[in-house]
Amino acid sequence: MNNHVPVRTLTATGLLLAAGLLLPFVFHSLLGPSGGRMLLPMHYGVLIGGLLLGPIAGAFLGIATPLLSAVLTGMPAAPVLPPMVIELAVYGLVAGLVRRRLRASVLWSLLLAMVAGRVALGLAVAVLGPAIGLDAPPVAYVVAGVTAGLPGIAAQLVLIPLLLARGRLEHFVEGPG
C-alpha cells in the first residue's frame, strides 16, 4: 500500500486551509460577526477541498480549519466549536465521497454535502450541546443557521461550481495533461 501523498495535494490542502483561516478573518473584520454567519466564509475551503482533493482531505480541512481558527483568532467561540467541527468535517467528507464515488456533478455534491453537514450539526447539538454549554434546540439551531447563512449558501452554490468549471483549480491539483 502506498502511503505517499502527492506534493500537489499537500500544497493545495495547505492553501485551502490558509483560505479557510483568512476569509473569515477578512469578513469578520469588514462586516462584523454577522458577516461570518451570513456569508459562511470558512466553508469554501472545506467544500472545495472535498470536491478536488477527496473525502480524506475534505474531512481533514473540516476539522483543522475551525480548530486552528479558534486557536489563532478565538473564532468560532468555544460553545459552537465542537458542533461546527463535526459539521465542516461532514461537508468535506461527503463532498469528496459524492464527487468521487458517485461521480455526481459539483452542484449535486455540494447540495448533498450541505444537507449531510447540517444533519450532522443538528445531531452534534443534540448530543454535545448540554455537555458543552450550548443550550439550544437542535432543529431551531440548524434552521437559524441556515436562515442566517442563506446568502452564503447561495454564493457557494454559484461560485464553487464556477471556480471548478474553469478548471484552473483542478489543473493546479492534478497537474498538466
Side-chain angles (χ1 to χ4, degrees):
M1 184 164 96
N2 183 3
N3 289 331
H4 182 277
V5 178
V7 172
R8 286 182 188 262
T9 300
L10 290 174
T11 303
T13 302
L15 289 172
L16 290 169
L17 179 59
L21 297 172
L22 184 61
L23 285 174
F25 180 76
V26 169
F27 279 76
H28 283 263
S29 296
L30 296 175
L31 303 171
S34 64
R37 284 190 299 271
M38 182 175 62
L39 298 174
L40 311 170
M42 195 178 290
H43 298 194
Y44 286 88
V46 172
L47 290 165
I48 291 170
L51 293 168
L52 283 183
L53 304 172
I56 293 171
F60 168 79
L61 285 163
I63 293 166
T65 305
L67 288 175
L68 196 51
S69 180
V71 169
L72 295 174
T73 69
M75 302 178 300
V80 299
L81 180 60
M84 187 173 185
V85 166
I86 293 167
E87 173 191 26
L88 291 180
V90 169
Y91 285 161
L93 178 73
V94 171
L97 285 173
V98 171
R99 184 81 173 126
R100 290 221 171 149
R101 304 269 192 230
L102 300 180
R103 304 229 185 265
S105 69
V106 169
L107 185 59
W108 276 110
S109 299
L110 283 172
L111 287 168
L112 290 172
M114 289 176 178
V115 169
R118 290 199 170 73
V119 168
L121 175 64
L123 292 172
V125 169
V127 173
L128 299 175
I132 60 175
L134 186 59
D135 187 27
V139 173
Y141 187 87
V142 172
V143 168
V146 168
T147 303
L150 280 175
I153 293 167
Q156 290 165 3
L157 292 173
V158 171
L159 293 176
I160 292 174
L162 283 176
L163 278 170
L164 298 182
R166 306 289 288 176
R168 297 184 198 278
L169 293 175
E170 289 170 336
H171 177 77
F172 173 77
V173 174
E174 296 170 1

